[in-house]
Amino acid sequence: MKSFLAVFTTATKYCWRDLTSVAVLIAFPIMLILVLGNALAGFISPTYDFEPLPVSASVEAGGNLETFLQSGESSQFMEINFTTRENAEELVQSGEVYVAIIEEDGEVTVIRARNSGMNAMIPISIIDSYKQIGAAMTIAMTSGGDFTELAGLIGAELSVTAAPLGNRVQSAIDYYAVTMLVMILLFTGLNGLELFKKSMFSETGARVLTSPVSKPVLVGGLLAAATVTSYVQGLITFFFTMFVYGVYWGENIPLVLLTLFAVTLFSQAFAIVVLLLCKSPNAAMGVMQALIWVMTFVAGGYVKIDFGAAQEIFRYSPNSLAHTIIFGSAFGGNETRMMNDLALLFIYVAVLFVIAFILGKRRLTK
Amino acid sequence: MILSMTDVIKRYRALTALDHLTLNLQKGEALGLLGPNGAGKTTAIRVLTGLTGADTGEIKLFGKEFSGKNNSDSMAIRKRIGLVPQDLALYETLSARENLEYFGKLYGVHGAELKKRVDAALEVLGLTDVAKKSPKKFSGGMKRRLNIGCAVIHKPELLILDEPTVGIDPQSRNHILDFVSEINKQGTTVLYTSHYMEEVERVCSRVCIMDAGRVIADGSVEEIAKSAIFEESITLEVKDPAPSLPESIKKIQGVVRCEVKNRAVTITSTAGSGNLPRIIEVASPFVILGVSAKRATLEDAFLALTGKSLRDGGEAS
């Protein structure tokens, strides 16, 4: 027990004093969650505080487009300067407005200012939605259909809301906090890998391995240190997002914490298996990084992947399982599915540890 | 007998790293293990410490068979050994004191006894003032000293040092050599590998020269130097040497070369110092002003035995 504690405490100190990885695992996700969560919050969060964007417009007086642009939801997003065409173009060229909306002979053109970046996307999207309504009307008219309902949409309130889940509406920052934290926890396996490399597969490791500490005690101490360090780092991010950013993690916090713990354990077990399968620790680092990115993207967290049957398989990536449990817990998901997914995560962990045990026995007793 | 390796073979695929290696070490001895790069010194140490298993052969430590496996006998043996690996084996984000404490704890030293030993080790190694600092901020010599401190904190009966002075300044090297000599005098058995002959001559009472995985010479420094057939250089200072003199000297058995430059007649002989009376006899018709012979060193013996220079492992020219 004394040897286990010696390995555990020393390895934990070693991990925490590596300020670069501590910064990467705590400060980096906290910053990214803030940036991503707020940059995109305006699109899907009804609570986002938004400053209307300056836009110039030269449109037909009293026409449908003018009515549409003057409607409440349009003006909520855009502060429109109705002016002549020349003046509208001049304003966009000088960069005083992000976008100029020009209507001439029934054609609507949008000119975006240079370096307007993401800001131009909002007015462009609004005008695009106006055009779509117009197109739908044209189709209805040429097919002899009744377009009175469609006509009523012109100038209607622009509705921008996210689909409600349970009793809450999920905001961008809620989404990014969950996906980012799950991804970062998977990356903590790299820290565990670094610790194992140092303590077992280096010159320092040679000295440790020649000591009278048995390998199960050594591996157990290192694994405990890597897991506790990673989990605590994850908890710091978790509580920071909850209390500082106001991220909604649902009411069942113990379930969320248990899920995050399962992800942390998975990451450490996965790292050990990769390390034991690769010839060198550096190769293991590369393989591990590549696999985490793959797992992150097949989970569909950031890029939607739709390959039919493959999508079903991707659902069983550890990220995807964790997302299902946490989002389900916070926004009213299917409880049976959540419990099954959590059980599956722990099964993954158990299988990985069995593989690690078999590989370790073969490799470390050579 | 503290250590005994008998007929140990270790192969890495086609390479035979240890080829029927037989090596013994008595209690209290300091044995220098010399050999060019690739001779098998580090493999021998890895096998001795259980880092890798031998293919065949017998390894006994402290009179007991050592398999290196996770059994209680092996663990008891490990407790009595200290290893100083070739490269630095420290945790850079821990302080010097924490490194010493950690390795002490791994060997079962705890509490007040550990503190006492750590304080003493820091004092002896000259690291008391930097005890709380990370080894990252240390000079090469300080790191090497701490590296050795971590291996002796549990007071091992057998200390194995694998080239412990690589890349350090002369002052730190002296410090380390004095330290190793001192703990050997206190009763610790030492196995010391190095590329530096002068270190081995200074620290060790016995030397084994390894080449191609085998011990090719074993004995005291003097014994090995005498037993080796090597080229000795003898210089005679002769007044007006005639051209016939080198020709006459070359006829002596064992003389390889004889060159005359002004008064200096330089003779290269492979017959050892026993040739000197015969050379003087041949030169006696001339006025001999002086005689000098280069004494055989361990380095000469090493070159003669292995045909390789010690530090770069290349063929001797």
Side-chain angles (χ1 to χ4, degrees):
Chain A
M1 191 61 193
K2 277 185 174 176
S3 300
F4 175 85
L5 285 175
V7 175
F8 172 72
T9 51
T10 306
T12 305
K13 267 188 218 170
Y14 175 76
C15 292
W16 278 101
R17 294 210 186 139
D18 182 0
L19 295 178
T20 312
S21 59
V22 170
V24 167
L25 292 175
I26 299 176
F28 182 65
I30 284 175
M31 191 191 73
L32 266 185
I33 290 165
L34 180 71
V35 170
L36 291 173
N38 283 323
L40 300 173
F43 286 112
I44 60 173
S45 168
T47 57
Y48 187 65
D49 189 14
F50 189 84
E51 286 289 321
L53 300 161
V55 168
S56 62
S58 165
V59 297
E60 191 185 320
N64 284 336
L65 182 56
E66 190 182 58
T67 312
F68 177 75
L69 292 174
Q70 283 172 341
S71 68
E73 287 297 331
S74 283
S75 58
Q76 181 190 327
F77 289 100
M78 301 183 287
E79 188 188 330
I80 303 171
N81 179 359
F82 291 97
T83 179
T84 61
R85 177 181 179 145
E86 290 72 26
N87 195 32
E89 288 177 351
E90 207 171 288
L91 286 170
V92 79
Q93 277 165 15
S94 67
E96 285 179 59
V97 296
Y98 290 122
V99 156
I101 303 163
I102 311 294
E103 184 185 34
E104 203 168 66
D105 302 330
E107 284 291 315
V108 181
T109 312
V110 177
I111 306 166
R112 64 184 291 177
R114 281 182 189 174
N115 306 320
S116 55
M118 287 290 287
N119 290 311
M121 296 308 293
I122 294 170
I124 289 169
S125 299
I126 293 169
I127 297 305
D128 192 48
S129 70
Y130 171 81
K131 284 178 164 181
Q132 296 303 322
I133 295 167
M137 279 180 67
T138 308
I139 293 163
M141 285 167 73
T142 51
S143 61
D146 180 6
F147 60 91
T148 49
E149 280 186 26
L150 284 171
L153 287 172
I154 300 294
E157 291 293 293
L158 185 64
S159 174
V160 184
T161 55
L165 291 162
N167 299 323
R168 285 277 301 213
V169 174
Q170 184 192 21
S171 69
I173 202 157
D174 294 336
Y175 177 79
Y176 282 106
V178 173
T179 52
M180 188 67 68
L181 184 52
V182 169
M183 185 182 78
I184 287 295
L185 282 177
L186 279 178
F187 271 109
T188 60
L190 287 170
N191 276 12
L193 211 150
E194 178 64 41
L195 181 63
F196 274 90
K197 175 185 158 187
K198 178 72 184 171
S199 298
M200 293 183 80
F201 298 94
S202 67
E203 208 73 353
T204 311
R207 173 175 272 163
V208 173
L209 288 173
T210 55
S211 75
V213 174
S214 70
K215 287 188 183 95
V217 168
L218 177 64
V219 172
L222 294 175
L223 180 66
T227 306
V228 168
T229 304
S230 303
Y231 190 55
V232 170
Q233 288 173 348
L235 288 184
I236 291 171
T237 307
F238 172 82
F239 286 114
F240 191 91
T241 58
M242 180 188 269
F243 294 116
V244 180
Y245 294 165
V247 167
Y248 182 66
W249 289 90
E251 303 301 321
N252 194 350
I253 298 299
L255 177 68
V256 176
L257 295 184
L258 187 63
T259 307
L260 295 178
F261 182 68
V263 173
T264 310
L265 261 185
F266 174 90
S267 179
Q268 303 306 324
F270 190 66
I272 296 173
V273 170
V274 172
L275 179 65
L276 290 170
L277 281 174
C278 290
K279 273 195 171 177
S280 75
N282 288 340
M285 289 270 189
V287 170
M288 177 89 182
Q289 283 203 20
L291 287 174
I292 293 168
W293 283 118
V294 169
M295 282 194 279
T296 299
F297 282 101
V298 299
Y302 299 105
V303 178
K304 211 67 194 165
I305 295 175
D306 186 5
F307 297 147
Q311 203 178 16
E312 240 341 84
I313 298 167
F314 295 159
R315 200 188 85 68
Y316 294 103
S317 79
N319 309 53
S320 184
L321 294 175
H323 295 168
T324 309
I325 302 162
I326 298 171
F327 286 136
S329 162
F331 303 107
N334 181 317
E335 256 185 49
T336 311
R337 182 171 159 179
M338 281 155 50
M339 289 304 131
N340 287 343
D341 284 0
L342 185 60
L344 195 54
L345 259 182
F346 277 109
I347 290 169
Y348 284 178
V349 172
V351 169
L352 284 171
F353 277 129
V354 170
I355 296 170
F357 179 78
I358 295 165
L359 291 174
K361 220 172 168 194
R362 283 173 55 190
R363 180 153 175 187
L364 297 174
T365 53
K366 261 185 190 174
Chain B
M1 188 86 74
I2 290 274
L3 181 163
S4 135
M5 293 174 94
T6 311
D7 266 341
V8 173
I9 298 174
K10 175 69 188 174
R11 289 193 185 91
Y12 293 106
R13 295 194 178 145
L15 175 78
T16 304
L18 299 181
D19 186 6
H20 297 276
L21 178 70
T22 296
L23 191 68
N24 297 306
L25 187 53
Q26 300 289 340
K27 189 173 178 6
E29 237 185 337
L31 173 69
L33 199 55
L34 286 169
N37 289 337
K41 304 184 300 287
T42 299
T43 305
I45 288 176
R46 287 181 68 82
V47 168
L48 269 176
T49 51
L51 284 170
T52 191
D55 297 336
T56 60
E58 187 188 64
I59 299 153
K60 280 189 173 178
L61 284 160
F62 308 101
K64 288 180 182 170
E65 203 162 313
F66 180 64
S67 63
K69 288 186 178 155
N70 252 351
N71 54 42
S72 57
D73 277 353
S74 288
M75 290 300 159
I77 289 170
R78 284 172 194 272
K79 220 168 187 170
R80 300 164 77 178
I81 302 174
L83 171 68
V84 180
Q86 204 171 80
D87 292 325
L88 294 168
L90 303 166
Y91 286 93
E92 297 83 4
T93 58
L94 302 182
S95 69
R97 175 177 286 279
E98 285 167 337
N99 269 288
L100 289 166
E101 282 174 350
Y102 179 51
F103 287 106
K105 284 176 187 172
L106 289 185
Y107 283 85
V109 188
H110 297 278
E113 178 62 22
L114 178 64
K115 190 182 178 309
K116 201 173 100 185
R117 288 198 197 180
V118 168
D119 288 340
L122 288 168
E123 181 68 35
V124 171
L125 296 166
L127 297 172
T128 306
D129 294 343
V130 290
K132 287 183 181 171
K133 286 190 178 166
S134 149
K136 269 193 285 192
K137 294 169 186 165
F138 287 6
S139 67
M142 288 159 86
K143 284 179 186 171
R144 287 277 166 192
R145 278 182 267 155
L146 180 60
N147 201 33
I148 292 175
C150 290
V152 297
I153 196 74
H154 62 289
K155 295 191 176 168
E157 291 169 57
L158 170 62
L159 178 63
I160 301 172
L161 302 105
D162 193 3
E163 297 181 26
T165 59
V166 174
I168 59 168
D169 57 280
Q171 196 187 352
S172 287
R173 176 173 293 160
N174 276 335
H175 199 136
I176 288 171
L177 295 177
D178 288 346
F179 180 76
V180 175
S181 295
E182 185 55 36
I183 60 168
N184 178 234
K185 276 181 201 158
Q186 288 170 8
T188 305
T189 308
V190 171
L191 177 61
Y192 192 101
T193 80
S194 177
H195 274 171
Y196 296 97
M197 290 290 184
E198 60 276 20
E199 286 184 6
V200 173
E201 287 185 279
R202 188 166 150 186
V203 171
C204 302
S205 50
R206 191 159 70 90
V207 178
C208 280
I209 295 183
M210 275 187 81
D211 194 28
R214 282 175 296 135
V215 171
I216 55 170
D218 183 351
S220 68
V221 172
E222 291 77 19
E223 282 168 355
I224 288 186
K226 277 181 189 167
S227 67
I229 298 168
F230 55 87
E231 291 186 346
E232 186 184 28
S233 176
I234 298 165
T235 305
L236 300 181
E237 198 183 345
V238 179
K239 192 178 178 185
D240 301 325
S244 59
L245 179 60
E247 295 307 315
S248 307
I249 290 174
K250 276 180 190 172
K251 286 176 186 160
I252 300 170
Q253 197 178 7
V255 170
V256 180
R257 280 186 299 276
C258 184
E259 289 161 356
V260 179
K261 195 173 182 184
N262 300 328
R263 286 179 167 184
V265 181
T266 306
I267 302 128
T268 307
S269 163
T270 58
S273 55
N275 247 351
L276 187 58
R278 283 187 282 275
I279 291 167
I280 289 174
E281 192 186 327
V282 171
S284 60
F286 300 90
V287 179
I288 300 171
L289 302 169
V291 179
S292 65
K294 189 173 155 258
R295 182 183 163 269
T297 64
L298 197 55
E299 187 117 23
D300 295 323
F302 184 87
L303 280 166
L305 286 164
T306 65
K308 293 165 190 166
S309 62
L310 191 57
R311 283 171 209 173
D312 58 17
E315 298 293 320
S317 55

